[in-house]
Amino acid sequence: MFLVQLYRHHKVLFVLFVGWILAFVFLNVKWGMVASPVYQYGMFSKPMSIEEPQPAYRIVVNGEMLNTVHYSFAQRDVLYVSLDKFRWQSEQNRKVFQALKKFLPTAVEQRATYTNTISHQQFSDWYRERVSEITGLRVRSLEVYQEYWKWHPGACALQSSEKLIYFD
Amino acid sequence: MIEYKHIRQFAWIYASAVVLFFVWMYWNGLHFSAYRPVFFNNQTDLTGNYILLTGIHLKVMQEQWLRVLLDVSFILFPVMLCVLVVRRSTIAHPVSILTAGVALLYAWLYSILGVISIEVFTAFLFTPLVFTALTVQGFYFRIQILRLLFLIIFFSTAWWKFRAGGFFHFEQMQAILFRQHTAAIVYGSNDLSTNLYKFLIAHPSVSFGLYVMATLLEASMAIGFFTHRFDRWLMMFALLFIGMDYLLMEINYFSWIPMVAALYFSGKQWPHVHVSSQIATR
C-alpha cells in the first residue's frame, strides 16, 4: 500500500500528507472556513434558480454604453468583479473578522488591518484608470448602474436599476 | 521506469505553466503592478488572516516596488527552481520550499486584492514541493502524492455538487450560465460565445446534461484512488474539464496543468522490488 511505503520512505512527508488529507476532510465536512493550503472546491454546487434575477453592471463611458464583449473575459472581470467586490468589501471584511477573531490574537481586535480605509472618490479614480487602460478611451464621464435582470428567452427583463453614486 | 529525465521534464512543465499563466495575467493587466489594488476583500482563511496580521496587504496597496517584487518573485522562483533541478543542484531543495511559500503568499494576497480566486493557484502551491526530492526515489513518492492531491481535490468538487444539491437541480447549469454571463447576454452583441450561452440557457436539458457530465468527470477521479490503470483517461477527462471551463465558464484553470501532468509521470513505475528491498535494508 502506498501509505505504508511512504511511511517507510519519509515519515515527515507521511505526516504532512496524511495531515493535509485529515484537514481537507475536516474543513470540507464542517463547511465553514478554510486554512491555506487546504481549501474547499464547492463552487457552483449550491442549487440555483433560473427564476432568480441576476446582477449586472451597465457601464456608460462618455455617454455611450460599454459593450464589454470586445474585451477578454479577464478584462471583463476587472470591470465587473472589482465593482462587485468594492460594493461588498466593507460588509464582507466585517463578517470575516467576526467569524475569525476568536482564532486570532485578541490584541488585533482594534487594529485597522482588517478594514479598508478607501473613500468612494479614491475607488472612483482607480476604476476610471482601469476603464481607460482596458478600453483605450480617455474617460471624460463615467456612469455605472447596478441592474438586476431576469432570464427570458428572446429578451431578458430588467427588474431594477440603481446608479452607483460614487461615479457622480 | 522513472528516471531523472522525468524530473527534468516535469520541472519544465511546471515552470512553463507558471510563465504562461503569468503572461496571460500580464496580457490582461491582472498582475499586481498593473492592477495596483486599492482595497481588499478578506476571506475566511485562517492561515491567510495570520498573514494579514503583518499588514503586508496594506503595504501592497501603497507601494509599487512591493507589487513589482511580488510579480517578479512569482515568476522568477519557479524558473530558478526549474534551472536548479535541470542542473541537479542540491540548492533546489530549499528553493522549492521557498518557491511554494512565495506562491502561497502571492495567491493569498491576489485572492483578496485582485480578481482571481485562490483555488486557481492550487497547482502552483503544491507542485514546487515535488522538487524537495533529492533522489529519483524521493521524486517518485512526491509525484504520487501530487497525483493523489489532485484526485482528492477534483473528486471533492463532485462530492460538493452531490452534497449541496446542485447535481439534483435541473435548472442548475441554466442558472449558472446566466449568472456567469449576465452582462454579455443583456448588454452584449450577438457574438458566437454569447449565442452559445443563450442557446444553452434556453435548452436546460442540454445545459444540465453538461453539468451532469462535468460532475461525472470529476467523480471519475475516484477510480485513481484504487488503480493507475486509467490515469491516461483521467488525464484526458481533466483536460477536457479545464478546456470546457475556459470555453463555457470563462474561468482559467490551465494553471492546474502541472497537477494533471502528475497523472502522467506517476505512471512511470519505480520497481517495487527495488523500493521494498531498499526499505527493508534501512
Side-chain angles (χ1 to χ4, degrees):
Chain A
M1 190 192 173
F2 175 70
L3 282 176
V4 176
Q5 285 187 341
L6 178 64
Y7 179 78
R8 289 174 179 164
H9 167 71
H10 200 305
K11 289 183 179 52
V12 176
L13 201 57
F14 171 84
V15 169
L16 289 173
F17 179 52
V18 173
W20 185 89
I21 292 174
L22 293 175
F24 185 81
V25 171
F26 176 74
L27 290 178
N28 274 268
V29 169
K30 205 166 174 330
W31 206 333
M33 70 183 73
V34 297
S36 287
V38 184
Y39 306 107
Q40 286 171 354
Y41 298 83
M43 44 287 221
F44 305 116
S45 55
K46 283 185 186 163
M48 291 166 64
S49 172
I50 192 67
E51 294 299 318
E52 194 182 323
Q54 295 298 334
Y57 290 96
R58 180 159 56 92
I59 303 165
V60 181
V61 182
N62 303 335
E64 280 187 38
M65 191 183 79
L66 203 61
N67 187 350
T68 53
V69 170
H70 301 309
Y71 311 111
S72 71
F73 76 76
Q75 289 172 320
R76 290 201 294 271
D77 276 355
V78 173
L79 293 171
Y80 296 135
V81 177
S82 62
L83 284 170
D84 220 39
K85 284 196 162 195
F86 181 71
R87 196 171 165 81
W88 301 113
Q89 49 84 22
S90 177
E91 192 185 340
Q92 184 174 336
N93 289 353
R94 188 184 53 76
K95 279 184 181 169
V96 171
F97 186 70
Q98 283 300 317
L100 293 183
K101 73 174 179 187
K102 63 182 168 190
F103 300 105
L104 298 167
T106 48
V108 304
E109 195 151 335
Q110 301 305 320
R111 281 171 66 168
T113 321
Y114 295 96
T115 316
N116 285 304
T117 53
I118 185 173
S119 66
H120 283 177
Q121 186 59 49
Q122 284 171 310
F123 174 70
S124 170
D125 292 344
W126 175 85
Y127 190 77
R128 276 167 192 268
E129 267 184 61
R130 299 287 83 74
V131 171
S132 182
E133 282 169 5
I134 290 169
T135 62
L137 296 169
R138 189 171 155 264
V139 181
R140 292 187 298 277
S141 71
L142 178 66
E143 292 166 50
V144 179
Y145 299 82
Q146 192 193 30
E147 302 184 330
Y148 278 85
W149 290 83
K150 197 173 170 187
W151 165 256
H152 194 275
C156 296
L158 179 65
Q159 304 295 297
S160 67
S161 181
E162 180 197 345
K163 189 177 181 184
L164 300 185
I165 50 163
Y166 27 90
F167 294 108
D168 281 337
Chain B
M1 198 200 301
I2 206 152
E3 295 168 38
Y4 199 84
K5 71 173 182 185
H6 297 123
I7 307 180
R8 277 197 212 105
Q9 287 168 358
F10 188 66
W12 279 115
I13 291 172
Y14 158 64
S16 307
V18 179
V19 170
L20 288 173
F21 187 78
F22 190 79
V23 167
W24 174 79
M25 285 181 82
Y26 183 87
W27 194 260
N28 290 290
L30 298 180
H31 56 301
F32 272 130
S33 37
Y35 189 71
R36 300 189 293 280
V38 285
F39 68 95
F40 69 98
N41 287 60
N42 201 357
Q43 309 284 335
T44 48
D45 182 326
L46 193 56
T47 320
N49 273 267
Y50 271 95
I51 295 173
L52 297 193
L53 282 173
T54 64
I56 188 170
H57 57 305
L58 306 177
K59 282 270 178 229
V60 173
M61 288 191 271
Q62 290 159 1
E63 309 287 354
Q64 177 67 357
W65 68 264
L66 187 53
R67 295 193 283 265
V68 173
L69 182 68
L70 280 167
D71 285 336
V72 170
S73 304
F74 178 70
I75 194 161
L76 195 65
F77 273 93
V79 172
M80 198 164 65
L81 178 59
C82 175
V83 171
L84 290 171
V85 168
V86 168
R87 291 184 175 181
R88 302 187 81 150
S89 167
T90 49
I91 312 167
H93 183 269
V95 170
S96 61
I97 296 170
L98 205 55
T99 306
V102 167
L104 178 66
L105 182 66
Y106 192 92
W108 164 244
L109 289 174
Y110 200 87
S111 70
I112 62 163
L113 291 160
V115 291
I116 303 174
S117 60
I118 200 160
E119 293 85 357
V120 171
F121 292 93
T122 302
F124 299 155
L125 313 184
F126 293 111
T127 310
L129 297 174
V130 169
F131 305 108
T132 53
L134 298 170
T135 60
V136 174
Q137 187 185 353
F139 176 75
Y140 168 81
F141 280 104
R142 283 160 181 80
I143 203 83
Q144 299 298 333
I145 289 175
L146 190 68
R147 169 186 177 274
L148 285 168
L149 292 182
F150 173 76
L151 295 175
I152 291 168
I153 290 170
F154 227 83
F155 174 73
S156 80
T157 59
W159 179 76
W160 271 105
K161 289 179 180 71
F162 294 121
R163 181 190 179 185
F167 185 76
F168 309 103
H169 199 67
F170 188 63
E171 294 177 9
Q172 187 71 358
M173 194 62 184
Q174 267 185 302
I176 289 173
L177 286 168
F178 184 49
R179 182 174 175 174
Q180 193 78 348
H181 307 295
T182 316
I185 290 165
V186 297
Y187 309 131
S189 54
N190 284 324
D191 66 311
L192 192 67
S193 51
T194 311
N195 281 330
L196 175 64
Y197 306 144
K198 285 181 189 170
F199 171 82
L200 290 171
I201 297 168
H203 296 83
S205 44
V206 181
S207 55
F208 188 63
L210 285 172
Y211 190 79
V212 169
M213 195 181 86
T215 310
L216 294 178
L217 283 186
E218 292 164 344
S220 70
M221 297 297 154
I223 298 168
F225 298 150
F226 308 102
T227 175
H228 278 271
R229 233 168 74 200
F230 304 103
D231 275 13
R232 296 286 164 99
W233 281 103
L234 298 182
M235 202 167 75
M236 298 290 182
F237 290 168
L239 290 173
L240 178 67
F241 183 91
I242 291 169
M244 293 295 277
D245 227 0
Y246 191 86
L247 284 175
L248 292 182
M249 299 295 290
E250 298 190 338
I251 301 174
N252 186 353
Y253 272 115
F254 283 101
S255 51
W256 281 57
I257 294 288
M259 283 183 108
V260 179
L263 284 168
Y264 173 77
F265 287 96
S266 62
K268 307 276 177 198
Q269 286 298 314
W270 180 261
H272 287 295
V273 179
H274 193 175
V275 173
S276 312
S277 63
Q278 282 204 352
I279 290 165
T281 53
R282 284 180 79 142

